Amino acid sequence: MALLDAPAPVSDRLRYDRATAHLDGPVAVVDLAAFDANAADLVRRAGGKPIRVASKSLRCRALLERALAVEGFAGVMSFTLDESIWLVRTGLRDVLLAYPSADRAGYAALTADPELAREITVVLDDPAQLDLIDKARAGDAEVRVCLELDTALHLLGGRVRVGARRSPLRTPEDLEAFAELVQRRRGFRVVGLMAYEGHVAGVGDRVPGRPVYSRVIRLMQDRARAELAGRRAEVVRRLRRVAELEFVNGGGTGSVESTAAERAVTEVAAGSGLYVPRLFDNYRAFQGRPAALFGQPVVRRPDVGVVTVLGGGYPASGAAGPDRSPVPYLPAGLRYDPMEGAGEVQTPLLGAAADDLLIGDRVWFRHAKAGELCERFGELHLIEGAEVVETVPTYRGEGRTFL
């Protein structure tokens, strides 16, 4: 069977094995054809609204630049002030720091450098954050401010909350009052609004084997989308009375279509949808192609139907559970030993496919989350066809952990 004539994912495994045959494992790769296809699909789903790339989901400057070169992508959503400054100083522009920071040295640099202040917008939601920035100031540069709207769905009179605990600013009145406070403060200017509906964007609504649960999730998300759309529109209406908004950002990989459909939203955010980790397998709205993988070598064959690979215990952040572990992907049909799971130093894998694996062969895994793979590897090998065409550093490989 010719390499590219083999059925997927068989052909993918053959390509990845051949491309990395000269490399010792563990090894991390990105399939550029899959990455580019995912980028094109995100643009399609956004329906003409620009997509701001979430850097925490890629954690690789070369791949941030690749995404931004695609028509339909514009701007970066960063996750620390240190990272934001580094990205601008290495040539990227229009960086939205999506999480409040207490980095005093970073704020000193930001307020002392007009270029940094022009290209970086910081998310704020508390007067104390304004005080921290003013105490850290090393210059008079105006700080561009984006306010964050809490998107959580409140049920039963507020007794039940669905959604992440993020901003304390929830009501249109909250946002308008805080915007007025910021606008009155010398050295600050409100330019944007951000609202991330993680309970819609980050929760799959088609979970295999759980039809009732999936139906409940869909009902919750329908209600959450309707409630948030009305509240977000009113927030934007009120903020435009106070400030000249340059952008209204919302959504994530799992909610691109619904968020982009809101008239009040001017751009959407996405990043994980470029790599497609395992947490994005269970969505009705889209089906991406796994692009980022890591390969572990087989080092033991302890029994029939069992192989052991080196390490691989790379859990994702969040509430502990089986869905936070990487998943064996290629060859198909492998599963963890339920008594051991993904191990720190070795990982037993069970299944008929194990009997076809030899010492030194590679098993390919998908991480549960996107960018967290790059916390484990200093470089990514970029694959086209059946060859590595470039090897690029991750943030870790560039000595940038930004933790």
Side-chain angles (χ1 to χ4, degrees):
M1 180 173 8
L3 178 65
L4 295 180
D5 291 337
V10 173
S11 63
D12 289 339
R13 181 192 170 201
L14 294 172
R15 290 192 300 111
Y16 303 151
D17 284 350
R18 181 174 296 182
T20 61
H22 62 294
L23 301 171
D24 287 329
V27 61
V29 303
V30 171
D31 184 331
L32 290 180
F35 183 94
D36 292 346
N38 293 332
D41 193 50
L42 285 168
V43 171
R44 175 193 63 79
R45 294 172 58 207
K49 290 190 177 176
I51 300 169
R52 188 178 290 273
V53 186
S55 64
K56 74 175 182 62
S57 299
L58 299 186
R59 304 192 196 195
C60 172
R61 188 157 47 93
L63 290 173
L64 275 173
E65 293 170 352
R66 187 179 185 93
L68 289 168
V70 176
E71 185 175 356
F73 285 80
V76 176
M77 177 177 282
S78 62
F79 69 113
T80 72
L81 182 54
D82 187 22
E83 179 206 17
S84 306
I85 292 170
W86 176 68
L87 289 175
V88 171
R89 286 179 172 167
T90 55
L92 296 183
R93 295 292 178 264
D94 186 12
V95 177
L96 170 61
L97 172 59
Y99 307 89
S101 175
D103 181 353
R104 293 174 176 82
Y107 281 127
L110 178 70
T111 55
D113 187 327
E115 181 187 15
L116 292 178
R118 182 173 59 250
E119 298 297 338
I120 296 172
T121 303
V122 302
V123 162
L124 302 178
D125 55 32
D126 191 306
Q129 296 160 350
L130 300 170
D131 296 338
L132 185 148
I133 295 171
D134 272 339
K135 290 177 182 177
R137 276 187 179 274
D140 296 327
E142 185 177 64
V143 176
R144 291 166 52 86
V145 174
C146 174
L147 308 185
E148 181 167 6
L149 167 66
D150 174 64
T151 65
L153 174 65
H154 287 192
L155 302 171
L156 300 178
R159 294 190 296 276
V160 175
R161 175 193 179 96
V162 181
R165 298 182 183 276
R166 291 176 63 105
S167 171
L169 305 176
R170 172 169 177 78
T171 68
E173 293 78 12
D174 292 339
L175 274 293
E176 185 176 20
F178 188 64
E180 289 173 343
L181 185 153
V182 174
Q183 293 292 80
R184 289 195 300 267
R185 189 104 169 209
R186 183 174 177 272
F188 297 89
R189 179 165 58 95
V190 175
V191 299
L193 174 71
M194 187 183 78
Y196 172 58
E197 54 268 44
H199 48 300
V200 178
V203 180
D205 62 355
R206 186 185 59 188
V207 182
R210 302 185 67 185
V212 175
Y213 172 81
S214 299
R215 176 63 175 163
V216 170
I217 291 296
R218 290 196 287 271
L219 290 172
M220 177 277 290
Q221 291 180 338
D222 287 345
R223 183 162 179 179
R225 278 190 287 262
E227 186 277 334
L228 179 59
R231 184 155 51 95
R232 181 155 41 198
E234 177 61 13
V235 167
V236 170
R237 186 186 71 81
R238 285 176 176 249
L239 289 183
R240 292 197 186 281
R241 300 192 309 201
V242 178
E244 294 185 13
L245 295 183
E246 297 177 13
F247 64 87
V248 176
N249 179 280
T253 289
S255 71
V256 168
E257 295 95 335
S258 61
T259 304
E262 294 182 33
R263 291 185 60 186
V265 173
T266 66
E267 63 176 42
V268 293
S272 295
L274 294 164
Y275 283 172
V276 187
R278 65 168 295 193
L279 286 181
F280 286 87
D281 283 348
N282 303 324
Y283 287 79
R284 292 183 304 157
F286 71 99
Q287 186 173 3
R289 291 175 55 183
L293 310 169
F294 67 93
Q296 302 287 99
V298 173
V299 293
R300 283 177 169 165
R301 291 170 48 91
D303 205 344
V304 175
V306 184
V307 293
T308 301
V309 300
L310 178 71
Y314 306 155
S317 59
D323 63 340
R324 300 292 150 168
S325 292
V327 61
Y329 178 53
L330 299 173
L334 295 173
R335 65 187 187 279
Y336 291 122
D337 182 332
M339 300 300 293
E340 298 193 48
E344 177 189 4
V345 294
Q346 66 174 33
T347 298
L349 298 171
L350 314 180
D355 292 331
D356 295 326
L357 292 169
L358 304 177
I359 300 296
D361 284 352
R362 196 160 278 154
V363 175
W364 295 97
F365 293 78
R366 297 169 63 201
H367 203 281
K369 288 192 173 181
E372 292 185 18
L373 169 66
C374 296
E375 292 181 5
R376 304 284 182 168
F377 292 89
E379 58 188 17
L380 297 173
H381 302 284
L382 308 185
I383 292 178
E384 284 186 351
E387 61 181 308
V388 172
V389 294
E390 189 177 3
T391 298
V392 297
T394 64
Y395 281 5
R396 176 180 173 180
E398 297 201 56
R400 304 282 177 168
T401 55
F402 302 122
L403 299 176

